[in-house]
Amino acid sequence: MEDLGGTMERMWEVTFPVRRMFYLVGINETSLPADAAIPKYIEGSMPFFGGFVLLEAILLWLKGRESIRISDGVMSVASGLFLYLPKMVHRAIEVVGYSYVYEHWRLTTLPWDSPWTWVLSMIGVDFGFYWFHRAAHEINIFWAAHQVHHSAEDYNLTTALRKSVLQQYTSWIFYLPMALCIPTNVFLVHSEMNLLYQFWIHTELINSLGPLEYVLNTPSHHRVHHGRNRYCIDKNYGGVLIIFDRMFGTFAAESEPVAYGLTHSLETWNPIEVQIFHLRHMWNRFVEVKGLCNKLKVIFYGPGWTGPASPRLGRIEDIPDVHPPVTKLQTNASALQCAYVLIHFLLVNGFFLLLLANKHLLSQFYLWIVAAYLLWSLTNFGFIFDCSKYAIPSELLRLVATPLLIALVATDNYFSRSLSRSAIVSLVFWLWQAAASNAFRKSATTSSSTSAKKQS
């Protein structure tokens, strides 16, 4: 019996990295004292994200359903990497802000190892997330960041990773009341696990969880949240729990097939454009409307506000009445080019994860260089999917720069070596693509001039 008990205990410990993605953790194993290292559960779960995405793709294929599109999946994960670029060069603002309030202004000190502190923090984080999430949909300047997550027209596990680089600079404010009593490490544990839980609910493979649908946020509830059908707009803001939506009147059950994405869809795969396009739209509206009051409404009213006669959140009748099937953004890149992007994206992603784990070994100067290279790489992949005129010249330059960068940061591992070698091989591929592109343009020019001569 002792051997069996010891085996079960070891199995419980070994499965922790998977269990934490579903919030299936014990209080003792996730209660950390103030002097413990800041938990990095999300960074530690990145390999599991990839594993679950692969598993979902296989299951979708076996069921004969639309699998994960390379263009949509790559750009979703690229947006998630964008989120981590600032964290490579400075501490997360939520850690700094929360710690400062807790150290200087807390009203009481709750014991870090108390089950009541753990439960209170779990509920408090989800309550804060509900109000942040609701504000992100109902306040235009917050929506300008959050819309990145909703820009995906597919709904799968990669969608969970589509994040805004700007959102982290506003979301932390909603958790500050907790700093008046909840220890920083206890808050950070639940903040990380709350986000991890939200990963697996981005799937169409799970229909219903039965009675749990009344209490928990589930794939069904979150599909509604991502919908652009009229009945889906501004619904189901919960992170782990759905009870706050039921309490505050923002709950809607999945009653018909959901069309995903923004009410006014994007026409580009460029990840930088996805991050900033709504800010540009807001600026144009701000300049366009007359009067200071209306200009402030552009910023602080809902994204659906259309003018002085419009209510704060706009009218539901002004939103297109969309139902599946819908036309999705497609890429004109060839299958070979899509495969190229996927391979290079995986290599760049592996290179990034290794550097993220060892960023303490690099100076701030080198971290900025690496962050710029990653930004360049991810933007190039968007150029390729868009068949942009910048795709080939920019990618050629990136391939030349890749071995130089790896030599500069002196990394010697599988991903850096593979990335460096693939860059050299890929130069030949893109030189061929450039030659083919020039030949095509010359052929088109000759054809059009010949046609013109015949007409004359």
Side-chain angles (χ1 to χ4, degrees), residues 315-331:
R315 296 184 181 88
I316 195 68
E317 296 80 15
D318 294 334
I319 294 174
D321 190 15
V322 180
H323 302 277
V326 296
T327 302
K328 299 179 181 179
L329 176 64
Q330 303 294 333
T331 177

Side-chain angles (χ1 to χ4, degrees), residues 79-80 153 391:
S79 296
E153 295 180 316

Side-chain angles (χ1 to χ4, degrees), residues 16 19-27 29-31 39-42 45 118 122 125-126 185-200 239-240:
F16 176 72
R19 288 187 288 108
R20 69 188 177 197
M21 299 186 71
F22 302 90
Y23 231 123
L24 298 174
V25 296
I27 293 176
E29 63 183 339
T30 51
S31 295
K40 296 182 179 180
Y41 296 153
I42 295 176
S45 298
W118 193 95
M122 175 189 177
V125 166
D126 208 59
N185 267 9
V186 179
F187 159 72
L188 290 175
V189 163
H190 290 284
S191 177
E192 296 252 325
M193 287 197 296
N194 188 284
L195 289 176
L196 282 176
Y197 176 91
Q198 294 176 49
F199 171 74
W200 71 271
V240 174

